[in-house]
Amino acid sequence: MSLKMLKFACAAALCLGAMGAEEAKPEIIEETDDTILEKYFALDTELTFYSAYIWRGQILYSTPVWQPAANLWFKFGENAEYGKIKLRCWSNWALQAYKPPHRFGQMSIVDETISYNYTAFDCLDFETGFILYQFPNRHGMGMRDTDEFLAGVQWRNKYLTPRAYVWWDFDKGGHNDPDMLYFDFDFYHAFKLTDDVTLRLGSGFGVGNGPYNEHYSKGDFDGVAFNNFHTDAALYYQLTDWLKVGGSLSYYYSLSRQVRHSRYDMHENYNAGILRGGIHFVANF
């Protein structure tokens, strides 16, 4: 074999070897930082300071309170395609002395909720579950531990998000009327002002049936009544990837004259309605 042909054979061998090496290059596997906990569990916490404690239009404290809460989510599927279970704990604490026997820092109520949440068509959010209400420092207020069944739905869209919920007090302890129902209908929209600032505006009303209003107002109610009209504005700032802070203003007024003149409200100023301010801290993990 001539020297020229030997050089040609060596060059061809080198080319074939390079092509083989390129084809045999190992596949790079993309790594992910998500752990099993991050894929199937989530936690968010809230800390809110309010100028008054208002529950379903009923002014329970007209003095400042703070309300911590935590939600633990268990996802069925990595993207919760089969729904989520939510475990929620919420409580209300007095920030200042209200009147005897309420004292600074005292917890008045704690709610424990378990619910199943499912999203259909990427826009319809359904929730159903149970709530246990406990009153650790009732001090003769007449409040007893009770249980409620809840069900609700909201339709998320880019224009206006309507939401409807119902609560049924079935009270297995037998202290309350088993036919007590409360309904809440509201809507809201969130405006993205900047990448970090969001303005949320909303409004709605609540309706209680006769047994519900008779129990909480100690009056004689015939049929349903509009317990609560509310309108809300809140501004949030995304401080970090996991923490946002905000402030809110809400106005509450009872549309029903019968409710306004009953003992549903625990304060005498409710005929004029009440304006409540809030400071919010929300963390997502």
Side-chain angles (χ1 to χ4, degrees):
M1 180 183 293
S2 68
L3 181 61
K4 184 175 181 180
M5 292 194 63
L6 180 61
K7 289 181 178 179
F8 178 78
C10 290
L14 288 172
C15 290
L16 290 173
M19 292 175 61
E22 182 67 26
E23 292 175 358
K25 186 170 67 174
E27 180 182 359
I28 298 176
I29 300 175
E30 184 178 353
E31 294 184 358
T32 177
D33 294 331
D34 290 344
T35 65
I36 294 297
L37 284 177
E38 291 171 326
K39 287 181 179 179
Y40 297 101
F41 299 89
L43 173 68
D44 59 80
T45 60
E46 309 162 19
L47 178 59
T48 301
F49 297 89
Y50 281 126
S51 59
Y53 173 27
I54 302 173
W55 180 70
R56 297 178 183 173
Q58 187 175 22
I59 306 174
L60 300 181
Y61 286 18
S62 60
T63 54
V65 298
W66 63 288
Q67 298 176 349
N71 302 305
L72 180 61
W73 301 86
F74 300 85
K75 295 184 283 187
F76 297 113
E78 293 187 22
N79 299 311
E81 56 266 32
Y82 304 110
K84 298 181 289 186
I85 292 289
K86 179 177 74 173
L87 300 178
R88 174 175 173 84
C89 185
W90 172 96
S91 60
N92 179 81
W93 301 69
L95 260 179
Q96 68 182 55
Y98 163 52
K99 63 181 182 180
H102 302 289
R103 292 181 289 275
F104 172 82
Q106 189 173 65
M107 178 169 53
S108 62
I109 181 174
V110 57
D111 300 353
E112 292 136 354
T113 304
I114 179 170
S115 65
Y116 174 73
N117 299 256
Y118 181 76
T119 298
F121 310 112
D122 293 325
C123 63
L124 287 175
D125 300 325
F126 297 91
E127 181 178 15
T128 182
F130 299 92
I131 308 176
L132 170 63
Y133 296 90
Q134 295 177 299
F135 304 91
N137 295 291
R138 61 177 68 95
H139 292 299
M141 293 175 62
M143 307 295 284
R144 296 179 179 269
D145 295 355
T146 189
D147 314 272
E148 284 186 339
F149 169 79
L150 71 94
V153 60
Q154 73 170 0
W155 174 36
R156 287 180 288 107
N157 60 84
K158 63 181 181 180
Y159 302 109
L160 198 63
T161 298
R163 181 172 57 181
Y165 267 78
V166 59
W167 292 266
W168 168 43
D169 191 324
F170 60 91
D171 184 27
K172 63 180 182 295
H175 302 297
N176 299 341
D177 190 306
D179 297 322
M180 290 166 51
L181 293 171
Y182 187 84
F183 304 85
D184 191 73
F185 307 93
D186 59 16
F187 55 87
Y188 66 88
H189 183 75
F191 301 87
K192 197 78 170 176
L193 303 183
T194 70
D195 289 341
D196 298 320
V197 179
T198 302
L199 173 65
R200 173 171 163 151
L201 302 177
S203 189
F205 62 92
V207 178
N209 68 349
Y212 177 91
N213 289 314
E214 285 179 13
H215 176 80
Y216 284 106
S217 68
K218 311 303 179 185
D220 184 17
F221 277 78
D222 182 19
V224 302
F226 288 92
N227 300 62
N228 173 34
F229 166 78
H230 62 90
T231 184
D232 317 281
L235 192 67
Y236 289 96
Y237 177 71
Q238 194 73 42
L239 196 61
T240 69
D241 290 340
W242 56 272
L243 176 65
K244 66 180 178 181
V245 298
S248 65
L249 278 177
S250 301
Y251 178 74
Y252 295 85
Y253 183 73
S254 178
L255 298 175
S256 168
R257 182 178 181 275
Q258 189 177 16
V259 171
R260 290 199 307 270
H261 289 79
S262 71
R263 291 178 55 201
Y264 183 77
D265 170 48
M266 295 185 176
H267 299 268
E268 296 178 356
N269 64 343
Y270 192 53
N271 284 334
I274 185 172
L275 185 66
R276 183 184 72 174
I279 300 174
H280 310 265
F281 300 87
V282 182
N284 296 278
F285 303 97

